Each structure stands twice: as structure tokens, then as C-alpha cells.
């Protein structure tokens, strides 16, 4: 969990928690700002969805909740990542609203592209790439399991990794096999917009900027999938 520890240690401020919401698809924590992360649960039927101190999470500081990111309980880790994101200040600089997968498709034209996570834009990437390798925790017939990472990933020239890999603690297992010359993107509303991730080797961070906390929380509470979410916009930040 070295990268998670690096992210946690990079945050030098704390703030009281104003609100915690664990929705069907998204988790939000409001503190210094409003942070968002995917709501992820372990793929087991009993007990893994229980959150420590549920009902009093709002009495903790955001820094305390961010420590939940270290938990092997993915639901707690979801809360932890949302709390971490609530403390981060979006870096100034190369911020755009370009779709990260459009960048991946363009960069990956005629190349070997690897994608971690089953995203809705895979058809476009497949159409332009010479080869597309898709990795999933529970792979379908034409996808790879994470056990194939050491064999397949070093050959990829463009790589997009879901930021949920932070929540399920697989990112540290993936990064050692990333080709240093590959163009790499960490993508998804859970993405911490932190310089630490550039230091870890990513070229592009694709996450969200919260525009209206009240409307965001309302839509998340009503089980909105991301395209239904109101109050947040997708942004990308280049190294």
C-alpha cells in the first residue's frame, strides 16, 4: 500500500467532516471541500459491507476518515478515498475538460493499449488500437485477469487504469509492470487529483471537480449513475 500511504502522507491539512453519504454508486464526504469516490463492496456475501462507526462518521475529521483507505473492507476504503479527495486542492495548470478516453483512443492509434476496468468507451479504443488488452477482477472470455499483468502489461504502449484500483488495493500490484515509456492515465471520478500520482508515473489524471455540493449529494443519494450526477464535471490534468 505504498502509494496509498504516499497519498495520505502528502495531505498536510485536516478539516471537520460536515457530511458523509454512502450511495448506491458513489460515496461523498464533505469537509474542506466535497470529495467523491465509487461505492465499492467486496465480492463476498456476508459482513464485508459493514462500516466501522457507521452513524458517527460525521463526528470524525476528514483525516481520520481518510485512514479508512487502508482498510481491506472496500466499502470503508471508498469512504477513505472520498475523505482524502475532500481535502485535496485541485492543482492549477494543465486542466481541461477533454474526455480521457478520447485521449487514450488518439494516443493508442495503431498501438497496444491496456485498460483496467470495463469502461463504456472500449469500442472506440478497439477500433483505433493495434491491440487492446482489458483487465478485470472478474474477467469475461475476452478479458485478462490480474494474474496476467506481469506477462501482458510491459508490452502496452498506452495504459488507462480505473481509480477504483486504489480502493481495492490492486494499483500497487499493477504499477511495477508499467512500461516507463508508456503513456498512462488514471481515470474515474474516484481519482485523487494529486501530484503524488504524477510522481508515481502517470501522465494524465482524469477525475472530477465538484461544482455544486448540494445538488451532487442529492443526485448521489438518489442512486444516480455518473451520467445522471448533477453538480460535478469531468476534468483532466496533465503532468
Amino acid at each position: 500500500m505504498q502509494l496509498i500511504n504516499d497519498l495520505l502522507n502528502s495531505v498536510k491539512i485536516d478539516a471537520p467532516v460536515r457530511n458523509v453519504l454512502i450511495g448506491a454508486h458513489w460515496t461523498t464526504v464533505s469537509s474542506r471541500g466535497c470529495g467523491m469516490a465509487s461505492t465499492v463492496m467486496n465480492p463476498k456475501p456476508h459482513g464485508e459491507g459493514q462500516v466501522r462507526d457507521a452513524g458517527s462518521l460525521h463526528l470524525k475529521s476528514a483525516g481520520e476518515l481518510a485512514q479508512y483507505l487502508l482498510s481491506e473492507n472496500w466499502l470503508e476504503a471508498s469512504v477513505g478515498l472520498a475523505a482524502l479527495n475532500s481535502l485535496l486542492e485541485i492543482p492549477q495548470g494543465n486542466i481541461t475538460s477533454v474526455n480521457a478516453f478520447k485521449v487514450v483512443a488518439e494516443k493508442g492509434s495503431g498501438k497496444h493499449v491496456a485498460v483496467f476496468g470495463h469502461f463504456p468507451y472500449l469500442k472506440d479504443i478497439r477500433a483505433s488500437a493495434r491491440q487492446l488488452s482489458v483487465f478485470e477482477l472478474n474477467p469475461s472470455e475476452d478479458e485478462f485477469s490480474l494474474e496476467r499483468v506481469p506477462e501482458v502489461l510491459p508490452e502496452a504502449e498506452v495504459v488507462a487504469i480505473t481509480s477504483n484500483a486504489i480502493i481495492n488495493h490492486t494499483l500497487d500490484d499493477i504499477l511495477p509492470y508499467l512500461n516507463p515509456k508508456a503513456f498512462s492515465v488514471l481515470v474515474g471520478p474516484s481519482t485523487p487529483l494529486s501530484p503524488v500520482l504524477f510522481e508515481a508515473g502517470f501522465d494524465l489524471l482524469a477525475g472530477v471537480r465538484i461544482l455544486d455540493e448540494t445538488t451532487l449529494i442529492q443526485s448521489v443519494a438518489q442512486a444516480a449513475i455518473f451520467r445522471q450526477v448533477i453538480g460535478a464535471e469531468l476534468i483532466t490534468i496533465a503532468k
Side-chain angles (χ1 to χ4, degrees):
M1 296 189 197
Q2 183 58 52
L3 184 56
I4 290 176
N5 281 310
D6 289 345
L7 285 166
L8 292 172
N9 292 334
S10 72
V11 179
K12 306 302 183 185
I13 59 172
D14 202 353
V17 169
R18 296 180 284 110
N19 186 65
V20 178
L21 173 63
I22 303 175
H25 302 294
W26 307 104
T27 293
T28 62
V29 172
S30 303
S31 67
R32 180 189 186 198
C34 182
M36 183 177 186
S38 293
T39 299
V40 183
M41 295 183 67
N42 297 68
K44 295 181 181 179
H46 302 296
E48 284 75 17
Q50 180 174 319
V51 176
R52 283 172 289 161
D53 301 323
S56 59
L57 298 180
H58 62 292
L59 301 178
K60 299 180 182 292
S61 73
E64 290 174 317
L65 280 188
Q67 294 296 317
Y68 278 33
L69 187 51
L70 296 166
S71 174
E72 295 297 334
N73 176 340
W74 296 352
L75 189 55
E76 290 183 350
S78 299
V79 174
L81 186 51
L84 174 71
N85 285 338
S86 77
L87 290 171
L88 293 176
E89 185 173 348
I90 295 177
Q92 299 302 308
N94 300 319
I95 300 175
T96 69
S97 58
V98 65
N99 186 306
F101 284 101
K102 182 178 180 181
V103 176
V104 170
E106 291 174 351
K107 293 278 189 182
S109 179
K111 298 179 180 178
H112 181 181
V113 179
V115 176
F116 289 79
H118 197 89
F119 290 96
Y121 301 98
L122 293 181
K123 183 178 179 181
D124 294 337
I125 297 172
R126 194 182 303 276
S128 64
R130 171 174 53 83
Q131 178 182 345
L132 175 62
S133 301
V134 179
F135 293 87
E136 270 286 350
L137 285 176
N138 299 296
S140 61
E141 186 175 336
D142 60 344
E143 297 171 341
F144 292 112
S145 68
L146 296 188
E147 285 73 19
R148 299 288 301 278
V149 165
E151 171 193 352
V152 178
L153 186 57
E155 303 300 321
E157 300 161 278
V158 177
V159 180
I161 303 175
T162 172
S163 47
N164 285 1
I166 300 175
I167 295 172
N168 62 31
H169 298 171
T170 57
L171 189 55
D172 275 336
D173 298 325
I174 295 168
L175 289 180
Y177 299 100
L178 189 66
N179 188 322
K181 296 181 180 179
F183 179 84
S184 58
V185 183
L186 188 66
V187 60
S190 303
T191 300
L193 300 176
S194 167
V196 169
L197 294 168
F198 291 134
E199 295 167 9
F202 287 101
D203 298 291
L204 194 71
L205 304 179
V208 296
R209 174 163 49 195
I210 308 305
L211 302 175
D212 188 320
E213 180 179 324
T214 301
T215 55
L216 172 73
I217 289 173
Q218 185 176 55
S219 58
V220 167
Q222 295 178 24
I225 60 175
F226 190 77
R227 68 171 176 265
Q228 296 174 307
V229 166
I230 304 169
E233 66 172 349
L234 293 170
I235 62 171
T236 60
I237 302 178
K239 184 186 290 187

